Amino acid sequence: MEHCQVSLTHGRIDVQEALGWVNSPYCGGTSIFIGTTRITENGENSKIVKHLTYEAYEEMALETMRQIVLQNVSKADGLHKVYVCHRLGQVNLGEESILIAVSSPHRSSGHQMVMQILNEIKQKVPIWKKICFEDQGDHWSPNSEAFWLQQEK
Protein backbone atom coordinates (compact mmCIF):
# COMPACT_ATOMS: atom_id res chain seq x y z
CA MET A 1 0.00 0.00 0.00
CA GLU A 2 3.01 2.34 -0.20
CA HIS A 3 1.56 3.90 -3.37
CA CYS A 4 -2.01 4.02 -2.06
CA GLN A 5 -3.70 6.21 0.57
CA VAL A 6 -7.29 5.39 1.59
CA SER A 7 -9.20 7.21 4.33
CA LEU A 8 -12.51 8.29 5.78
CA THR A 9 -12.94 11.70 7.37
CA HIS A 10 -15.57 13.53 9.38
CA GLY A 11 -14.00 16.86 8.37
CA ARG A 12 -13.46 18.61 5.07
CA ILE A 13 -11.49 16.80 2.38
CA ASP A 14 -8.16 18.48 1.64
CA VAL A 15 -7.75 18.60 -2.16
CA GLN A 16 -4.20 19.98 -1.96
CA GLU A 17 -3.16 17.15 0.36
CA ALA A 18 -4.45 14.62 -2.17
CA LEU A 19 -2.65 16.27 -5.08
CA GLY A 20 0.56 16.50 -3.09
CA TRP A 21 0.34 12.85 -2.05
CA VAL A 22 -0.06 11.49 -5.61
CA ASN A 23 2.62 13.74 -7.11
CA SER A 24 5.46 11.66 -8.51
CA PRO A 25 8.33 12.29 -10.93
CA TYR A 26 7.49 8.90 -12.50
CA CYS A 27 3.99 10.00 -13.42
CA GLY A 28 3.12 12.37 -16.26
CA GLY A 29 -0.50 13.00 -15.37
CA THR A 30 -2.85 13.38 -12.43
CA SER A 31 -6.53 12.54 -12.75
CA ILE A 32 -8.93 13.63 -10.05
CA PHE A 33 -12.62 13.22 -9.29
CA ILE A 34 -14.29 15.33 -6.62
CA GLY A 35 -17.92 14.52 -5.81
CA THR A 36 -19.78 17.48 -4.29
CA THR A 37 -23.25 18.03 -2.86
CA ARG A 38 -25.53 19.68 -5.40
CA ILE A 39 -28.72 21.62 -4.69
CA THR A 40 -31.04 19.12 -6.38
CA GLU A 41 -30.90 15.36 -6.26
CA ASN A 42 -32.22 14.53 -9.73
CA GLY A 43 -32.03 17.55 -11.99
CA GLU A 44 -33.69 20.93 -12.25
CA ASN A 45 -37.24 19.85 -11.29
CA SER A 46 -36.13 17.88 -8.27
CA LYS A 47 -36.65 18.74 -4.64
CA ILE A 48 -34.18 21.15 -3.03
CA VAL A 49 -31.40 19.50 -1.00
CA LYS A 50 -30.23 21.08 2.27
CA HIS A 51 -27.35 18.67 2.87
CA LEU A 52 -26.30 15.02 2.71
CA THR A 53 -25.36 12.76 5.60
CA TYR A 54 -23.09 9.77 5.08
CA GLU A 55 -22.88 6.83 7.47
CA ALA A 56 -20.57 3.84 7.23
CA TYR A 57 -19.44 0.64 8.79
CA GLU A 58 -16.04 2.33 9.00
CA GLU A 59 -13.69 -0.62 9.47
CA MET A 60 -15.30 -2.60 6.66
CA ALA A 61 -15.57 0.49 4.42
CA LEU A 62 -11.83 1.19 4.75
CA GLU A 63 -10.88 -2.41 4.09
CA THR A 64 -13.16 -2.64 1.06
CA MET A 65 -11.81 0.62 -0.37
CA ARG A 66 -8.23 -0.63 0.15
CA GLN A 67 -9.04 -3.86 -1.70
CA ILE A 68 -10.61 -1.96 -4.58
CA VAL A 69 -7.60 0.33 -4.91
CA LEU A 70 -5.05 -2.48 -4.64
CA GLN A 71 -6.86 -4.60 -7.25
CA ASN A 72 -6.92 -1.68 -9.68
CA VAL A 73 -3.27 -0.77 -9.08
CA SER A 74 -2.16 -4.39 -9.50
CA LYS A 75 -3.76 -4.51 -12.97
CA ALA A 76 -2.13 -1.26 -14.12
CA ASP A 77 0.95 -0.88 -16.30
CA GLY A 78 3.56 1.35 -14.71
CA LEU A 79 3.60 3.19 -11.41
CA HIS A 80 0.32 4.63 -10.24
CA LYS A 81 -0.26 6.49 -6.99
CA VAL A 82 -3.80 6.57 -5.65
CA TYR A 83 -5.46 8.71 -2.98
CA VAL A 84 -9.07 8.06 -1.94
CA CYS A 85 -10.95 9.90 0.79
CA HIS A 86 -14.67 9.61 1.53
CA ARG A 87 -16.37 11.97 3.91
CA LEU A 88 -18.76 10.87 6.65
CA GLY A 89 -21.30 12.90 8.57
CA GLN A 90 -23.04 16.01 7.26
CA VAL A 91 -21.87 17.35 3.89
CA ASN A 92 -23.30 20.76 2.99
CA LEU A 93 -24.00 22.15 -0.48
CA GLY A 94 -20.85 22.56 -2.55
CA GLU A 95 -18.70 20.53 -0.15
CA GLU A 96 -16.75 17.45 -1.18
CA SER A 97 -18.07 14.01 -0.27
CA ILE A 98 -15.49 11.92 -2.10
CA LEU A 99 -12.12 12.57 -3.71
CA ILE A 100 -10.20 10.14 -5.87
CA ALA A 101 -6.80 11.22 -7.23
CA VAL A 102 -4.59 9.03 -9.41
CA SER A 103 -1.20 9.84 -10.84
CA SER A 104 -0.11 7.74 -13.78
CA PRO A 105 2.53 7.57 -16.48
CA HIS A 106 -0.09 8.55 -19.08
CA ARG A 107 -3.48 10.28 -18.81
CA SER A 108 -5.74 7.56 -20.21
CA SER A 109 -4.81 4.95 -17.59
CA GLY A 110 -5.31 7.49 -14.81
CA HIS A 111 -8.73 8.57 -16.08
CA GLN A 112 -9.84 4.96 -16.43
CA MET A 113 -8.61 4.05 -12.95
CA VAL A 114 -10.41 6.98 -11.31
CA MET A 115 -13.73 5.96 -12.88
CA GLN A 116 -13.23 2.27 -12.10
CA ILE A 117 -12.44 2.99 -8.45
CA LEU A 118 -15.41 5.37 -8.14
CA ASN A 119 -17.86 2.89 -9.65
CA GLU A 120 -16.63 0.05 -7.45
CA ILE A 121 -16.80 2.19 -4.30
CA LYS A 122 -20.41 3.13 -5.11
CA GLN A 123 -21.30 -0.54 -5.67
CA LYS A 124 -19.39 -2.34 -2.92
CA VAL A 125 -18.47 -0.13 0.04
CA PRO A 126 -20.78 -0.04 3.09
CA ILE A 127 -21.39 3.71 3.03
CA TRP A 128 -24.96 5.00 3.09
CA LYS A 129 -26.20 8.39 1.90
CA LYS A 130 -29.13 10.15 3.52
CA ILE A 131 -30.53 13.16 1.67
CA CYS A 132 -31.96 15.99 3.76
CA PHE A 133 -34.50 17.86 1.63
CA GLU A 134 -35.52 21.43 2.40
CA ASP A 135 -39.26 20.68 2.64
CA GLN A 136 -39.60 16.91 3.03
CA GLY A 137 -37.16 15.73 5.69
CA ASP A 138 -34.52 13.02 5.39
CA HIS A 139 -34.63 10.10 2.95
CA TRP A 140 -32.12 7.34 2.27
CA SER A 141 -30.86 7.57 -1.28
CA PRO A 142 -32.25 4.95 -3.69
CA ASN A 143 -28.81 5.21 -5.39
CA SER A 144 -27.01 4.18 -2.25
CA GLU A 145 -23.30 3.56 -2.18
CA ALA A 146 -24.15 0.10 -0.79
CA PHE A 147 -25.95 -2.17 -3.23
CA TRP A 148 -27.93 -3.98 -0.53
CA LEU A 149 -29.64 -0.81 0.70
CA GLN A 150 -32.45 -0.41 -1.81
CA GLN A 151 -35.82 1.13 -1.17
CA GLU A 152 -38.73 -1.26 -1.42
CA LYS A 153 -41.04 -0.64 -4.33
Side-chain angles (χ1 to χ4, degrees):
M1 278 285 287
E2 70 184 63
H3 300 292
C4 304
Q5 170 68 34
V6 176
S7 63
L8 298 170
T9 184
H10 290 273
R12 296 288 303 262
I13 295 174
D14 187 338
V15 177
Q16 292 305 312
E17 176 183 313
L19 292 173
W21 199 91
V22 297
N23 188 34
S24 169
Y26 298 100
C27 298
T30 299
S31 301
I32 189 166
F33 174 81
I34 303 170
T36 57
T37 303
R38 63 183 176 267
I39 197 163
T40 59
E41 183 59 18
N42 295 313
E44 291 182 29
N45 297 326
S46 184
K47 300 172 266 188
I48 302 299
V49 173
K50 282 178 33 181
H51 64 267
L52 303 176
T53 302
Y54 289 93
E55 296 180 11
Y57 177 1
E58 292 187 36
E59 186 176 306
M60 182 183 251
L62 280 170
E63 182 55 33
T64 305
M65 287 193 307
R66 279 188 200 100
Q67 290 174 6
I68 290 167
V69 168
L70 288 174
Q71 287 171 359
N72 279 278
V73 169
S74 71
K75 292 186 249 178
D77 290 333
L79 174 69
H80 287 68
K81 291 184 76 176
V82 179
Y83 182 101
V84 177
C85 184
H86 201 299
R87 184 144 168 215
L88 300 177
Q90 184 171 311
V91 182
N92 295 319
L93 294 176
E95 292 181 352
E96 303 83 7
S97 56
I98 187 168
L99 183 146
I100 301 168
V102 174
S103 62
S104 56
H106 305 284
R107 66 181 173 263
S108 63
S109 63
H111 294 329
Q112 290 171 4
M113 188 177 292
V114 165
M115 290 309 300
Q116 184 65 32
I117 290 170
L118 176 64
N119 291 333
E120 288 186 42
I121 285 173
K122 291 180 77 65
Q123 292 172 3
K124 299 175 182 177
V125 177
I127 296 175
W128 303 276
K129 177 172 73 173
K130 187 183 289 184
I131 308 163
C132 180
F133 292 106
E134 199 168 78
D135 297 330
Q136 299 180 349
D138 297 350
H139 301 279
W140 289 106
S141 172
N143 301 318
S144 174
E145 278 69 8
F147 67 89
W148 57 86
L149 181 63
Q150 300 296 322
Q151 292 182 344
E152 292 185 23
K153 296 180 181 180

